[in-house]
Amino acid sequence: MSNKIEGFNFDQRHGKQRVRVARVWRSENGRHSIVEWNVGISLFTDSVVAYTRDDNSDLVATDTMKNTVYAKAKECVEELSVEDFAIRLAKHFTSLYQQVTAAIVKIVEKPWERVSIDGQPHEHGFKLGSEKHTTEVILKKSGALKVTSGIEGLALLKTTKSGFEGFIRDKYTALPDTRERILATDLTASWTYPYESIYSIPQKPLYFTERYLSVKKVLADTFYGPPKGGVYSPSVQSTLYHMATNVLKGFPDIATVQLKMPNIHFLPVNLSNKDNTIVKFEDDVYLPTDEPHGSIEATLSRFWSKM
C-alpha cells in the first residue's frame, strides 16, 4: 500500500511464492481425488517500520504463510476448487491479522487427470495433463473481492480451414496471401467474475471447477468448429474474437474475458537444388517453429463490468 515517507511515496508488500502443496481426498467407496497447487501469497499492510526502523513487530513471517497453506489444505475435508481454496487463504490473512489490509493469492493447479483402464475410470490412478487451471483472488479487509480464473498452455491446432489474406503490403512484405494453412496456438485465457464479496458467490460445491471446464470447452469448440467440416478462420484475430464472444454469451456470471493467442507457425517446406525442385509443397510437409511467432491478444468486457 502507498505510504509517504520522508517526502517520498513508498509502496510495499511481502509474501511467499511457489509454495507447492498436494491434497488427497479418499472417499468411503475407495475413490481418491488429488490436486496439486503452486501457491503465491502477497500481503499489503500499512506498516512500514520494518523497512524504516528495523522493527519487525508488524510483519507476518513468510514462513508462517507457507505453513498456513499446508494447515488450510488439511482443513479442507471435502474436495474444493482452486478458487475456493484461494479465497479461504485470503480470508484467513485479512481477518486474522489486524495490520493486513489486503491479500492477493495466486494459484496454478497442476493438471493431474484420472486414468482409465479397459474403459473404466481408475480409483486412484492419475496422469499428468497439459493445460493448467489458474486463479487470482484479491480480497481487502473491507470484504471487497475480485476473483479471476484462467487457463495456461491450452494447445490448439487444426490442419485446414484457416487463411490470411488482404493485409497491408509494403516493401518489407514477403508473406503471400493464403486460404489454406495450419492454425496453431498455445492459448492463455483469463476471466473475471462479477462477485464483489465472498457472500455473493454461489454456494455450490465445485462451482468454479465446473465453470472452468465449461469455459475451456467453449473456447476449444469455437476454435475447431463442428466435427464435420469445421469452421473457417480468416485470421487469428477473428477466431479470438468469436471465442471471447461465445464465453460472454454463454456465461452471464463472467464479466470480462482476456485471451492471448500466439500464432505458432507451421512453414511450408519446399526442397530444391540449382536445377529443379526436388520436393514440392502440396499442403502436406511443414517446418514447425515457435520462434518467432505472432502475438495476438484482446480483452472483451460487458459494459457494466469493472476493469
Side-chain angles (χ1 to χ4, degrees), residues 164 167-176:
F164 189 58
F167 46 88
I168 293 174
R169 292 192 170 278
D170 57 35
K171 62 181 180 180
Y172 301 114
T173 304
L175 186 69

Side-chain angles (χ1 to χ4, degrees), residues 4 12 27 44 82 88 130 151 153 185 188 201 211 303:
K4 292 189 178 299
Q12 52 80 26
S27 65
F44 295 83
V82 64
R88 288 193 184 194
S130 53
I151 300 171
T185 191
T188 298
I201 296 174
R211 181 59 74 243
F303 286 118

